Amino acid sequence: MTENYDVIIIGTGAGGGTLAHALAASGKRILLLERGDFLPREMDNWDAKPVFVDGKYISKDTWFDRDGKSFQPQVHYFVGGATKLYGAALYRLRPGDFGELKHVDGISPAWPLSYEDFEPWYSRAEQLYQVHGNAGEDPTEGPHSEPYPWPAVSHEPRLQQISDDLAKGGYHPFHAPCGIMLNEERRPESLCIRCAWCDGYPCMVHAKADADIIAVRPLLGQPNVTLLTGAEVTQLETDDSGRTVTGVVVSRDGNREVYRGDIVAVSAGAANSAKILLNSANDKHPNGLANGSDQVGRNYMFHNCKAIAALCTEKNDTVYQKTLGINDFYFATKDYEYPAGNIQMVGKSNAEAMRGEQPEKTWFAPEWTLSDTARHSVDWWLTTEDLPVPENRVTTDKDGNVHLTYSPTNAEEADRLCEELKKILNHTGMAAHHVFRKNFYMDMDIPLAGCAHQAGTCRFGTDPATSVLDTDCKAHELDNLYVVDTSFFPSIGAVNPALTAIANAMRVGEHIRNRMA
Ligand SMILES: Cc1cc2nc3c(=O)[nH]c(=O)nc-3n(C[C@H](O)[C@H](O)[C@H](O)COP(=O)(O)OP(=O)(O)OC[C@H]3O[C@@H](n4cnc5c(N)ncnc54)[C@H](O)[C@@H]3O)c2cc1C
Ligand code: SF4
């Protein structure tokens, strides 16, 4: 048995790491429990084979699909969580995402808070995570009370040309918001070297604004903050009333340990947070902790995404490709009554990465084909919102393992977005320069295991019958339990989720600080 902490935070990713950062200055005693370790700095960080083909930084976890078939989820257990590997595209949700949106397959529900409620926290999150951007270029973007702390990352020539062509065609390309520590004006001082190994790779030079580097490391050595790595939380215990979490059960080095804290914040990622709550069932919470509404684990979302490599005869020498975004189809247009989603760039293709992403299509392809493909590709990432469907859910079995049942939604919208991209490519002249008479697209739908954008298993709301958390992200049914990762999302929008998780963690952090004052 160990000392009592003021706050125990489970998980050190976008949610948990940022929450710790928000609370540390209070002087309260904070314990961070992280099942992973620090990600090693090594040459493999920037090598596509270990990263994409061998999956060196993917957990060895086994999850099961709806039929009980096992698979290896693409989750990352390190200090910093998924942000160690993320592409650092740090988007705000659009104001319209906070309201109800009609989609082809149903309704994306309104959030209990508005864009205006989140705006100050988005601004603070952008300052903390050093986001580079240029507010005002994207017509779907909400107002910013503060400008981005850093100017937008410049386009390399090929991307600038595409952006110019798009603007000439009446589109509204914008500089994508990037969380990288790049100082373009003073390159000798820049931590970021603007390399091709950002999206999906760890940053070997620690220049990516991830939760480890930005939020957790600066706290190490502070007397009131303790980080335990290799500490997998398996269960939460409550008092007899069921209203208070009294013990956090940890498996560490093969031993069972129990930690005590006045406040407990679960931030283990959407699937694992649900797992912890479901595996904590007791007499007062027979269906799992905080699960009287039967909502824990439900409404799992992870975006309807496509990665598309558009090939042409012209070489694409871009190194850092994630600088461009297009939201012209984010909401309904005059030609299509539903939101189709966000178009952005993904990290530059290389032969090994392509092999890792879609082994069944490329594994047997001769090497030169993949290399050629990669050298001539312009690589796009298409995101369509998926809906919070109750049947899309995380459950656990008698051994505590995660079972993930998921059917995609809004496939028609995703296809529509793909069609719009094809028009864009033709418009930007790529077809004319193409090896083939028509553009050739390598279309890589992300399978179930690619749960990078997982969200929504413990949604927040005002009605305990339909939500797990209240608007402060405290469990309706417990007095000292919070969930502060992407689990709280009632809908996911069609932009990348991390900045919203970060902003929310800062928001909840202030609430917890006030509560403890
Ligand atoms: C390859 C990749 C690219 C991405 N690109 C982008 C992007 O460009 N922009 C963007 O916005 N988002 C991106 N994302 C998604 C983004 O990283 C996540 O949305 C975000 O990190 C989620 O934050 P979180 O706090 O919910 O979970 P995480 O950041 O995953 O943190 C969860 C933490 O909990 C720990 N943990 C899990 N279970 C336990 C347990 N039982 N006990 C203790 N600790 C536990 C994990 O080890 C981890 O540290 C990407 C993700 C991936 C994988
Ligand atoms: S682009 Fe910059 S932040 Fe990204 S991996 Fe390279 S050096 Fe790191």
Side-chain angles (χ1 to χ4, degrees):
M1 194 59 63
T2 53
E3 64 180 303
N4 194 73
Y5 291 88
D6 293 306
V7 185
I8 296 179
I9 300 172
I10 301 163
T12 58
T18 308
L19 178 66
H21 191 276
L23 292 176
S26 69
K28 299 289 181 187
R29 280 165 310 136
I30 298 162
L31 174 65
L32 274 161
L33 295 171
E34 169 54 55
R35 72 180 284 176
D37 205 336
F38 286 97
L39 194 146
R41 289 173 90 178
E42 54 193 1
M43 295 306 285
D44 281 357
N45 291 170
W46 282 351
D47 187 335
K49 182 169 181 304
V51 174
F52 278 95
V53 181
D54 304 339
K56 178 167 186 174
Y57 303 115
I58 295 173
S59 110
K60 301 282 179 272
D61 260 16
T62 300
W63 293 0
F64 299 87
D65 70 10
R66 70 168 81 230
D67 302 318
K69 194 166 159 242
S70 65
F71 66 93
Q72 187 186 3
Q74 290 180 17
V75 286
H76 308 279
Y77 297 147
F78 294 104
V79 176
T83 67
K84 287 310 288 180
L85 282 293
Y86 80 165
L90 290 178
Y91 281 81
R92 298 175 175 209
L93 284 171
R94 317 285 103 177
D97 289 320
F98 289 85
E100 185 177 288
L101 283 174
K102 202 169 146 221
H103 283 268
V104 66
D105 284 346
I107 296 293
S108 165
W111 286 38
L113 299 178
S114 67
Y115 177 81
E116 288 70 32
D117 294 319
F118 267 78
E119 199 290 325
W121 303 105
Y122 275 135
S123 281
R124 290 187 205 189
E126 285 164 354
Q127 302 295 320
L128 180 63
Y129 278 72
Q130 306 191 23
V131 184
H132 294 51
N134 194 4
E137 288 180 345
D138 170 12
T140 67
E141 195 179 17
H144 282 228
S145 57
E146 288 183 63
Y148 283 107
W150 286 86
V153 179
S154 64
H155 297 312
E156 289 172 50
R158 184 79 176 95
L159 269 276
Q160 186 64 55
Q161 180 199 337
I162 292 171
S163 177
D164 292 345
D165 290 346
L166 285 169
K168 267 187 230 136
Y171 295 99
H172 300 87
F174 58 90
H175 287 87
C178 304
I180 58 174
M181 299 179 212
L182 175 67
N183 186 339
E184 292 200 83
E185 277 197 3
R186 298 162 79 94
R187 281 298 287 269
E189 293 164 25
S190 178
L191 284 181
C192 169
I193 60 167
R194 193 173 181 140
C195 73
W197 312 105
C198 210
D199 203 1
Y201 300 82
C203 179
M204 198 197 294
V205 297
H206 285 180
K208 181 151 61 178
D210 63 42
D212 166 25
I213 300 301
I214 293 289
V216 178
R217 280 191 203 220
L219 311 183
L220 302 179
Q222 292 191 19
N224 61 320
V225 179
T226 305
L227 167 68
L228 284 187
T229 56
E232 180 185 353
V233 173
T234 55
Q235 214 179 353
L236 304 178
E237 298 172 336
T238 70
D239 63 3
D240 290 344
S241 75
R243 292 290 314 178
T244 307
V245 176
T246 51
V248 178
V249 182
V250 167
S251 167
R252 196 159 72 108
D253 296 330
N255 299 316
R256 182 182 187 273
E257 300 171 353
V258 181
Y259 294 87
R260 305 205 178 281
D262 293 343
I263 290 174
V264 174
V266 182
S267 300
N272 280 310
S273 287
K275 174 185 173 183
I276 292 169
L277 297 185
L278 292 171
N279 287 344
S280 301
N282 61 26
D283 287 349
K284 290 284 187 233
H285 298 272
N287 297 321
L289 209 56
N291 198 22
S293 60
D294 189 29
Q295 292 298 304
V296 171
R298 291 191 185 271
N299 305 301
Y300 180 93
M301 299 166 278
F302 72 88
H303 277 147
N304 197 329
C305 293
K306 289 181 195 295
I308 290 177
L311 304 186
C312 57
T313 49
E314 196 176 331
K315 270 202 222 154
N316 177 12
D317 292 324
T318 306
V319 177
Y320 181 80
Q321 194 171 237
K322 285 186 74 75
T323 56
L324 181 75
I326 305 160
N327 273 340
D328 290 275
F329 316 102
Y330 196 88
F331 294 117
T333 63
K334 67 177 175 36
D335 301 321
Y336 188 59
E337 62 178 309
Y338 301 111
N342 163 270
I343 298 176
Q344 60 184 274
M345 313 308 295
V346 69
K348 183 78 190 71
S349 277
N350 59 59
E352 288 296 350
M354 283 187 149
R355 197 196 306 279
E357 280 163 352
Q358 194 68 328
E360 70 272 22
K361 273 189 193 168
T362 60
W363 187 255
F364 297 107
E367 176 66 18
W368 67 267
T369 304
L370 283 176
S371 301
D372 254 18
T373 304
R375 200 171 302 125
H376 291 265
S377 70
V378 178
D379 309 273
W380 306 82
W381 182 257
L382 274 52
T383 306
T384 297
E385 177 166 9
D386 61 341
L387 296 172
V389 177
E391 292 73 29
N392 284 347
R393 65 187 296 202
V394 173
T395 51
T396 56
D397 60 27
K398 64 176 175 31
D399 298 319
N401 297 310
V402 168
H403 288 243
L404 185 55
T405 300
Y406 182 83
S407 301
T409 53
N410 295 336
E412 181 194 303
E413 293 176 7
D415 289 344
R416 175 79 186 198
L417 192 60
C418 207
E419 289 309 310
E420 295 293 356
L421 177 69
K422 287 177 184 172
K423 284 187 214 159
I424 282 176
L425 295 179
N426 286 326
H427 181 82
T428 51
M430 287 197 205
H433 298 104
H434 207 278
V435 178
F436 305 96
R437 285 176 64 93
K438 269 182 72 179
N439 285 326
F440 171 77
Y441 305 105
M442 186 173 288
D443 183 338
M444 298 177 270
D445 289 316
I446 307 302
L448 185 65
C451 43
H453 288 188
Q454 58 181 280
T457 52
C458 301
R459 65 185 179 187
F460 79 156
T462 51
D463 182 357
T466 56
S467 56
V468 177
L469 309 172
D470 68 16
T471 53
D472 294 321
C473 287
K474 185 187 78 62
H476 290 296
E477 295 169 27
L478 288 103
D479 298 325
N480 69 339
L481 175 66
Y482 291 79
V483 180
V484 192
D485 53 25
T486 54
S487 306
F488 86 98
F489 285 35
S491 69
I492 193 171
V495 287
N496 319 49
L499 190 75
T500 300
I502 290 165
N504 185 59
M506 297 173 93
R507 183 183 74 88
V508 174
E510 182 173 84
H511 159 81
I512 293 177
R513 268 204 316 272
N514 290 339
R515 173 183 164 154
M516 292 189 300

